[in-house]
Amino acid sequence: STQRRYADASALAASAVPALVMARGHKVDDVPEIPLVMDSSIESAKKTSAAKDILASVGALADVEKAADSKKIRAGKGKARGRKYTLRRGPLVIYKNNDGVEQAFRNLPGVELCCVDRLNLLQLAPGGHMGRFCVWSQAALDALNEIYGSEGKKIPEDIMANADLARIINSDEIQSVLNPAKRANKKYLRKKNPLKNIKALAKLDPYAAAARESEQRAEAARKDQKAALLKKKREVAKSKKQYKAQGKAFYEQVSKQGDVCADGF
C-alpha cells in the first residue's frame, strides 16, 4: 500500500541519520560513517568467523556484543511458549545477492539480514522506532536507484526545500514582515470586593460606605471604653480583696470557742 511504501522510505531515510541511530541505542561510536556501506564482497562470506572480522574491521562489532549481553529470560508465560529469551536488536545487514552472507551472519546475536528487494518495515523500524543501524553492501545500495527510481516505486516528495525551521524563522525575509514583539503585557486591575473594601463600596453606594465607616468608628470607641471599664472593675475587685482578708481574720477570731470554766465557774 501507499502508506507502507512511504513508511519504508521514511525508515530508510531515518537509518541514515546518526542522531536517530544513536538514540535507538546502537553502539556506533567507532563506525566511520552512517549509513555503513561496504564492498559487495561481503555477500560471498560463508563463515561466521569471517563475518565477525568484517564487522570488527568497521567498528560494528560493539553493537553485536551489546545485543549479546542483553540476552535475558523473558518474564511471564512466554517462557513456556517457545520464546524463552529476549534480545536487543543489533545491526541489519542488507544485501543484493545471497552468495553465503545469510549463513555467515545469521548466527551472530542480534544481527538480522534482509534482501534489498524485500525490505521489511518490522526490521527497518522495530517497535515503531526509526533509526536502525544498517550495514549495506554496495550492490544493495545501488539497487535502491532502481527500486525507488523514476520508473520504480514512488516516494513522498519533499514539502519543504529547507527543513531547518529555526533558520527559516530567524531569516531576515521572515523577520521583516512580522509584527514587532509585544514586550509589555497589559495589566488589568484586580476587581475589589465591595463587601470587604470600603473604597469599592463607596463607588457603588456612598451612603452604605458612610454607614459602615461610622459603625467601625463606634466599634473602635466601644473597644476603648471597654478597656477603661475593665480597668475600673479590676481596681474595685482589688480593693475588695483587701477588706475581704480583714473580714476573714475577724471572723476567725470571733468564732473561736473559749473555755467556760476558765474564770472559775
Side-chain angles (χ1 to χ4, degrees):
S1 65
T2 303
Q3 285 185 340
R4 183 175 296 179
R5 184 170 67 251
Y6 282 11
D8 290 338
S10 301
L12 282 174
S15 65
V17 181
L20 294 177
V21 175
M22 296 180 69
R24 230 195 141 267
H26 292 289
K27 302 294 183 181
V28 292
D29 297 336
D30 299 330
V31 177
E33 61 179 1
I34 296 292
L36 182 59
V37 183
M38 304 188 67
D39 192 75
S40 300
S41 59
I42 66 170
E43 297 179 353
S44 60
K46 294 181 175 59
K47 295 288 186 180
T48 304
S49 58
K52 290 182 65 175
D53 294 339
I54 291 171
L55 294 177
S57 64
V58 292
L61 191 61
D63 197 43
V64 179
E65 294 174 351
K66 183 265 299 182
D69 295 338
S70 67
K71 186 175 182 180
K72 295 181 181 179
I73 297 177
R74 183 187 300 273
K77 293 184 178 180
K79 293 191 293 292
R81 295 176 179 171
R83 44 183 186 270
K84 184 176 180 180
Y85 298 100
T86 59
L87 191 69
R88 303 282 82 80
R89 301 293 181 97
L92 175 63
V93 180
I94 303 176
Y95 59 89
K96 173 63 176 175
N97 299 313
N98 182 16
D99 294 333
V101 63
E102 286 196 358
Q103 290 81 359
F105 284 89
R106 65 186 180 184
N107 283 332
L108 293 176
V111 177
E112 294 180 346
L113 296 104
C114 182
C115 182
V116 70
D117 298 326
R118 302 183 297 275
L119 290 174
N120 189 354
L121 183 61
L122 298 178
Q123 291 181 325
L124 291 173
H129 302 288
M130 297 188 297
R132 181 75 184 269
F133 175 38
C134 298
V135 180
W136 296 80
S137 68
Q138 186 64 46
L141 192 66
D142 295 339
L144 289 179
N145 295 327
E146 301 175 2
I147 297 173
Y148 294 102
S150 58
E151 298 180 358
K153 298 179 181 180
K154 293 183 179 180
I155 58 176
E157 297 180 357
D158 293 332
I159 299 176
M160 300 174 62
N162 182 10
D164 193 352
L165 190 60
R167 183 178 179 183
I168 294 174
I169 293 175
N170 295 323
S171 63
D172 296 335
E173 293 81 359
I174 299 296
Q175 293 294 327
S176 62
V177 297
L178 291 178
N179 293 330
K182 297 178 181 179
R183 300 299 180 185
N185 296 328
K186 184 178 179 180
K187 294 183 178 180
Y188 295 93
L189 296 178
R190 185 177 179 181
K191 186 177 180 180
K192 297 181 180 180
N193 187 1
L195 299 177
K196 297 181 179 179
N197 192 299
I198 294 181
K199 292 182 179 180
L201 181 61
K203 293 180 180 180
L204 298 176
D205 189 355
Y207 299 101
R212 183 178 296 181
E213 288 181 350
S214 62
E215 183 180 352
Q216 290 179 353
R217 287 195 298 267
E219 185 179 357
R222 284 195 298 269
K223 284 185 178 180
D224 296 340
Q225 293 176 0
K226 184 178 180 180
L229 185 62
L230 285 176
K231 183 178 180 182
K232 183 178 179 180
K233 287 184 177 180
R234 287 169 182 166
E235 290 178 355
V236 172
K238 186 177 181 182
S239 62
K240 284 185 178 180
K241 284 183 179 180
Q242 177 182 356
Y243 298 115
K244 191 173 183 179
Q246 296 178 0
K248 283 185 177 181
F250 176 76
Y251 181 77
E252 289 178 358
Q253 184 179 2
V254 298
S255 297
K256 288 183 179 179
Q257 291 292 337
D259 190 3
V260 295
C261 299
D263 297 334
F265 292 101

